[in-house]
Amino acid sequence: VDLTVARQTSSKVDFGVTAFIENNINSGSDGGLYAELIKSRALQSEGDGLTNSWTGNNADISVITSDAISNVLPRSLRIAKKGSPSSFGVRNVGWAGIAAKPGKYSLTLSARCNAATSTTATAGLYDAQRKALGSAQVPLALTNSWKEFKATIQVAGGNNVASNQFGLDFPGNFASEQCQFNLISLFPETFKGTTARQDLAQLLADLKPKYWRVIGGNALEGNNLASRFQWQQAIGPLKNRPGRAGTWIDWDTDGYGLDEAHRLGEAVGAKAIPGVFAGYTLNQQSVPDDQLQPYIDSAVNELHYLLDPQGSSTWAKQREANGHAAPYNLAAVQVGNEDWISEAAIKTYQTRYPRFANAIKAAFPNLLVMSSSPYPTPKTQLAAIDQHDYNTPNFFLGAYDRYDTWARNATTIWNLEMAVTNSGKCGETPQIDALSGPCRLTYPIQLGAVAEFTAMMGMERNSDVVKTFAYAPLLNKIGNGLSQWHPDLISFDAVDSWPSASYWAQYAFGQYGIDSLYKITSSVAYKPVYWSAGKQGNLDVIKLSNSGADPVTVTVKADGAQYNPNAAGSLILSAHNDAYASNTPENRQNIKPTRRNTSAKDFVNGAFRITLPAYSLAAVKLARA
Ligand code: AHR
């Protein structure tokens, strides 16, 4: 394949990767990106809040509901020693284990007692043999009011396993049974001062996401009205956050709440796309028209909280009190989620959408308002639509030219959930495999990554219409019962995290973004090789994919110019000769791209030359001579 890249840029490009941070699913927030190590820190988990989280150490533990720390956290922990031990306390196993890597761990706990007393507790991380990996003395001067205590546990050596436990112990002479404990929390060192787990946040940051979709998806809607996302219960001190029944699993603490989600987006340099609850829940209930106004007011107030200039309103002052004086940087706001999902949603969205959209536009005339469904009519009056596609490799390969002939009207498309979820071996009817089935993928496959990359090239070429591609879901905690949806972009356990085949497609797009497009002339028609080219600063960026089983050599010439073989260029190439190969928990690096600088051997007579292996995707940066 011979490609010639024209020197003139043909159009500005406004396209980038979105990271969709979806709460609760696959333990992606609690137990995942939210770095809290203690499970059920406020005894909110299913059942009694203790089972599968807390155990006594020479002690009986129970839940008490009197003298609660707050109205929204009714339970607290009672610890009563058994017999006359020299020390006693509690153990917590975390979310499927606790990693103990070298570093500092920040402990916070709250306690009160019926009468004033004092003691010194020992907080530590312990391995499976009960050896302390690090511990701290925590002086507790206790009264009959709730007080918060802090300490730092230093782990020096640590270990690389998940079978550790957190322990909180008291000397044998402490009369703990007249005391109660809550919000026992332990954080490792986190990503750039956020609450995020370092390795997972770094993997997301490395995608260089342009957009950050937060509190969206099914976790926004909730399974019913009571379990919808309520932003005012997901801000400020943890004792004011009740959490809610998880949409996918157990309990969502909302510790990874509105500010935490937006701060992390800010830390990775992305613009946020928050979703606002729009009156529809997953049990197919719509808030009746005559009861909708408080929900509209709440959505507008949420945007005031996120956007009002510092000190300009009670919302801005509340945000500042919660640690973020400046407004957040929003790209758009999305009204609801998947309001095409049922007849009930489609029908009621006809009135719900305009009421939310009009109220938001009245308060924030410059904010892009995105519909979660194409159905509000007339469609051409929608400024932006969120489109979701879970499909086969062929569907995404076909999307290479999907937008070339798309109607150019005022509506832009935001692909905020996309993934090859189905191998296509059962035919092009992925719906039959909704969440399981013979052709549903467990982990992303190489052909899927190539197809997603190819679809993104088609979108980047049409960025006047289509603005982004978000793989969904992003995170997948490996472990019995922790994961509800597959395939996913990044897998992780308590210790480790590893990218999938599809991660490298997103990564290549994020790292090799362009600001304007070049036209390409080619010696052959596209398929099985696909291409796009553009400009990033002074460099040319070429993207290529090969969806076929045979290697193909591609030569890229610059029209009327030569590429400089000695200038710093770089390349990423991800390939596997098995189209259905995956990165699995057993073989985490099966698909690992080559990332290197270009060198003279990549060039022939001023043209760049690459042999694309079977099932490959590549992106290169080249300097012109
Ligand atoms: O990403 C998984 C789920 O798929 C999202 O929560 C929902 O929006 C979609 O149906």
Side-chain angles (χ1 to χ4, degrees), residues 418-534:
M418 294 257 142
V420 170
T421 49
N422 186 288
S423 68
K425 287 180 183 174
C426 307
E428 299 298 320
T429 50
Q431 297 82 345
I432 58 164
D433 272 2
L435 271 170
S436 64
C439 288
R440 180 75 180 198
L441 300 177
T442 307
Y443 303 103
I445 54 171
Q446 180 61 15
L447 180 58
V450 171
E452 287 152 5
F453 189 78
T454 304
M456 290 169 81
M457 283 195 267
M459 294 172 193
E460 192 184 53
R461 284 193 293 106
N462 289 283
S463 75
D464 56 326
V465 180
V466 56
K467 299 294 174 191
T468 190
F469 182 114
Y471 189 98
L474 284 186
L475 298 170
N476 177 34
K477 187 151 194 177
I478 300 297
N480 206 4
L482 296 171
S483 168
Q484 302 81 44
W485 177 295
H486 52 85
D488 311 280
L489 200 68
I490 296 166
S491 291
F492 67 99
D493 55 25
V495 176
D496 195 14
S497 51
W498 57 98
S500 66
S502 289
Y503 177 88
W504 296 115
Q506 301 293 305
Y507 176 96
F509 244 88
Q511 295 277 340
Y512 288 75
I514 56 174
D515 42 52
S516 50
L517 202 65
Y518 288 141
K519 284 215 167 97
I520 289 187
T521 49
S522 59
S523 59
V524 294
Y526 58 81
K527 196 178 176 179
V529 173
Y530 302 83
W531 48 79
S532 74

Side-chain angles (χ1 to χ4, degrees), residues 4 7 9 92 131 135 170 190 213 230 237 253 275 306 328-329 353 379 472 486 498 572 589 604:
T4 305
R7 297 191 79 185
T9 60
N92 189 286
K131 185 180 136 225
S135 65
F170 308 102
T190 53
R213 183 181 179 211
Q230 298 190 59
T253 67
L306 294 172
Y328 293 105
N329 196 356
Y353 176 77
K379 186 172 166 177
H486 52 85
W498 57 98
I572 176 168
Q589 305 295 334
V604 178

